[in-house]
Amino acid sequence: MTAAERATLPGARRVVVKVGSSSISGENSAKIQPIVEAIAASHARGTEIVLVSSGAIATGMPFLALDARPTDLATQQAAAAVGQNVLIYRYQAALRAFEIVAGQVLLTAGDLENPTHRSNARRAMERLLGLRILPIVNENDTVATHEIRFGDNDRLAALVAQLIGADALVLLSDIECLYTRPPGEPGARPIDAVEYGDDLSGYEFGSVVVNSVGTGGAATKVSAARLAAASGIGVLVTSADLVDEALTGAAVGTWFAPNPTPGDVASTGPVPVAVAAVEP
Ligand code: GLU
């Protein structure tokens, strides 16, 4: 059943794809190319794609002559301001061969809670998609710092998927799937699928990871996946290296089955994952 649900991905009308900083910056900056190729192939099949991409801070670091991720918020924001521009340029350079134009959309989770901002954002995204433009979304880091602090572009991606009524959300990171305990620890088993409403309290997803380039980790992915799944959006968590397999419906990653009755979000149940706050 769950393999079959993954197999519906290539036929999805609207898909949000989220990429993390470490997948597309530093020594991985060349990975933008295969990600764009997979997105372009999906776009060519008629799917409307929205890309949510982190990586502004990590991309900006060398331009500010920083070898390591800055520790103070103001310098992180400065690096993001510089890196966002370079990041979009790199995406557009890779998209050119496919004659796809990118549109930059900078949002905050708060924007999606404010009715006026929300409807403005929805209208703009609908128009971009109608024009066959690829919206590339990131957190607006000069006015919001939630992602910098909590690695929550995963959450932003789930909120964007809800906003535009996406059929599926693909969360890409550097691991192939989620595990029942941190991978490498004894007894860690890969999770193939999570049925809607499954109790995950026996699993250990760890807290938010802060590495040299970005923030995130399994816990933010699980929270975001459950948020989107509650609204009827199927979610696939896998590695950026498997983006093409993900978008063509291969049996990869961890699949979160969507709520079959999404009007009834009250039945979601608790999200059994504590996302610990980590000071950058
Ligand atoms: N939105 C920021 C970025 O794209 C923050 C990501 C992070 O915490 O590294 O770089």
Side-chain angles (χ1 to χ4, degrees), residues 21 53-58 69 80 84 87 138-139 141 147-149 151 153 213-215:
S21 301
S53 179
S54 305
I57 294 177
R69 182 182 165 88
Q84 180 64 28
L87 189 59
N138 195 358
E139 183 182 70
D141 290 317
E147 192 208 353
I148 293 174
R149 290 180 183 277
N153 247 13
V213 289
T215 42

Side-chain angles (χ1 to χ4, degrees), residues 150-176:
F150 303 115
D152 246 356
N153 247 13
D154 296 319
R155 177 174 153 82
L156 186 63
L159 294 174
V160 166
Q162 289 176 332
L163 178 77
I164 61 163
D167 305 304
L169 167 64
V170 178
L171 296 174
L172 300 171
S173 67
D174 44 14
I175 52 162
E176 287 187 22

